[in-house]
Amino acid sequence: MVDFRYLKAFMLTAKYASFSKAAEELNIAQSAVSRQIKLLEDSLKEELIIRSSKKVILSEKGKELYQASLSFEKTSMQIFEREDRLPLSVGILEGLLKTWFTPLLTEYLKNQKRDVSVHVADIPELRSGIEEGKYDIIFGTGDIQSDLVTSLKLFEEKLVLIGKHDVNKKKLQDERWIVFSNNDNLFKVSKNKSDSIVMVDSFDSIISLVKNDLGIAIVPDHLIKKEDQLKVHDMPGLPSSQIYLSTLNYKRMPERIQALVDIVKAKR
């Protein structure tokens, strides 16, 4: 097995074909360079350099190791030099993407030339995605604090009842419900279930249906625009949601992620 502690001494000696030049670059004694190479040879049980009073000659195994080391060094440098070209992967709840995140993404892209992918997902998928490395950063309602992931609270999301007309909150079952899923908040606030339920997994479509007077819905308040001309009703019984930014617990966050985090923090 290669003892990597001594590989640099071998590489420089092979590069310059000189113990003295290798010692000069490493700022150590020539005898120390010779000793390190000897220890490397002992760990490999192979002779890498054929010693000569006149010049340094690499053995066949030495030549192979030197070429392999050059390739490894080049590949390693490419990995760390590629940071400014690495893509950014974002996971986000559908509602946040439509109304809140797009302006922040626009600002981010003005100063970035990298590829960016934005994936809409639900809370369980967002959490598993950040933990498994599928996403670099996620935005959702989950406060994740673990050895692997950390979250930063951004703002509070208020849920409201919307309709094209005034809605009697005591008789919600008389209206058609436009819901996001079987766990929609309309099921939680009404004692009786509506006879007509339309399930749509897009908040844009839900709001569009409500605007066309086809039913009522409960949605985050930041999705509603003045031009929608909808009746908005507060629902005190519904808990508000906290919106969080979550990333892996980096000791030093990669630049591509830090740049977006800085923009989000500045807009809090």
Side-chain angles (χ1 to χ4, degrees):
M1 182 179 293
V2 178
D3 193 329
F4 289 97
R5 292 175 297 173
Y6 310 125
L7 188 59
K8 191 67 175 178
F10 166 73
M11 289 183 64
L12 289 175
T13 301
K15 175 182 178 181
Y16 296 120
S18 168
F19 286 101
S20 60
K21 288 184 179 179
E24 183 179 344
E25 183 158 330
L26 289 171
N27 197 27
I28 60 177
Q30 182 173 327
S31 59
V33 172
S34 181
R35 174 65 177 163
Q36 288 186 17
I37 294 174
K38 181 65 169 60
L39 290 170
L40 177 62
E41 290 176 323
D42 290 344
S43 72
L44 293 171
K45 296 181 174 57
E46 290 283 353
E47 185 178 24
L48 301 175
I49 292 179
I50 301 172
R51 275 98 173 146
S52 167
S53 59
K54 295 183 178 180
K55 60 182 178 178
V56 170
I57 302 172
L58 297 182
S59 67
E60 288 303 313
K61 289 292 184 181
K63 292 176 182 177
E64 291 179 19
L65 179 60
Y66 179 56
Q67 291 302 318
S69 299
L70 288 176
S71 178
F72 173 76
E73 187 174 52
K74 180 180 179 181
T75 301
S76 299
M77 292 302 297
Q78 287 175 342
I79 289 173
F80 294 103
E81 289 174 351
R82 253 192 2 242
E83 165 59 26
D84 62 348
R85 301 198 302 274
L86 287 175
L88 178 75
S89 179
V90 179
I92 192 168
L93 292 174
E94 196 255 358
L96 293 175
L97 174 63
K98 297 297 184 181
T99 61
W100 171 77
F101 183 64
T102 300
L104 302 180
L105 179 61
T106 300
E107 184 173 343
Y108 176 82
L109 291 174
K110 287 180 180 178
N111 299 309
Q112 298 285 337
K113 293 184 179 180
R114 70 182 75 252
D115 293 339
V116 177
S117 57
V118 181
H119 308 269
V120 173
D122 58 16
I123 295 300
E125 185 180 341
L126 290 177
R127 178 162 189 151
S128 63
I130 191 72
E131 291 175 343
E132 295 168 5
K134 178 180 178 182
Y135 305 126
D136 295 308
I137 186 170
I138 61 171
F139 299 95
T141 56
D143 181 12
I144 310 172
Q145 302 293 343
S146 67
D147 292 340
L148 190 62
V149 181
T150 187
S151 298
L152 171 68
K153 181 181 175 181
L154 298 178
F155 60 89
E156 188 172 292
E157 181 182 70
K158 180 181 177 183
L159 297 173
V160 294
L161 175 70
I162 59 172
K164 187 65 177 179
H165 53 77
D166 285 322
V167 179
N168 185 340
K169 291 189 282 186
K170 294 183 179 180
K171 296 183 178 181
L172 296 179
Q173 70 274 12
D174 293 341
E175 305 281 351
R176 178 187 285 117
W177 293 358
I178 315 296
V179 301
F180 191 82
S181 70
N182 287 320
N183 293 318
D184 195 276
N185 285 288
L186 273 169
F187 293 101
K188 301 175 183 178
V189 299
S190 178
K191 293 182 179 180
N192 299 307
K193 185 178 175 182
S194 172
D195 291 333
S196 178
I197 297 175
V198 178
M199 192 174 298
V200 185
D201 63 354
S202 164
F203 280 115
D204 273 357
S205 297
I206 288 174
I207 292 172
S208 178
L209 290 171
V210 176
K211 285 167 62 176
N212 284 288
D213 201 17
L214 293 175
I216 62 172
I218 291 179
V219 298
D221 60 349
H222 60 81
L223 300 182
I224 308 302
K225 304 171 185 174
K226 288 184 178 180
E227 56 266 30
D228 291 334
Q229 297 182 339
L230 294 171
K231 298 292 183 179
V232 179
H233 305 268
D234 289 334
M235 299 297 289
L238 288 177
S240 58
S241 299
Q242 312 298 324
I243 302 301
Y244 294 89
L245 170 162
S246 300
T247 64
L248 294 177
N249 272 322
Y250 292 102
K251 288 185 178 179
R252 182 179 180 183
M253 190 173 292
E255 188 276 334
R256 69 185 187 282
I257 304 174
Q258 186 65 60
L260 180 56
V261 170
D262 290 342
I263 291 171
V264 172
K265 284 183 176 180
K267 301 297 183 180
R268 288 173 67 189

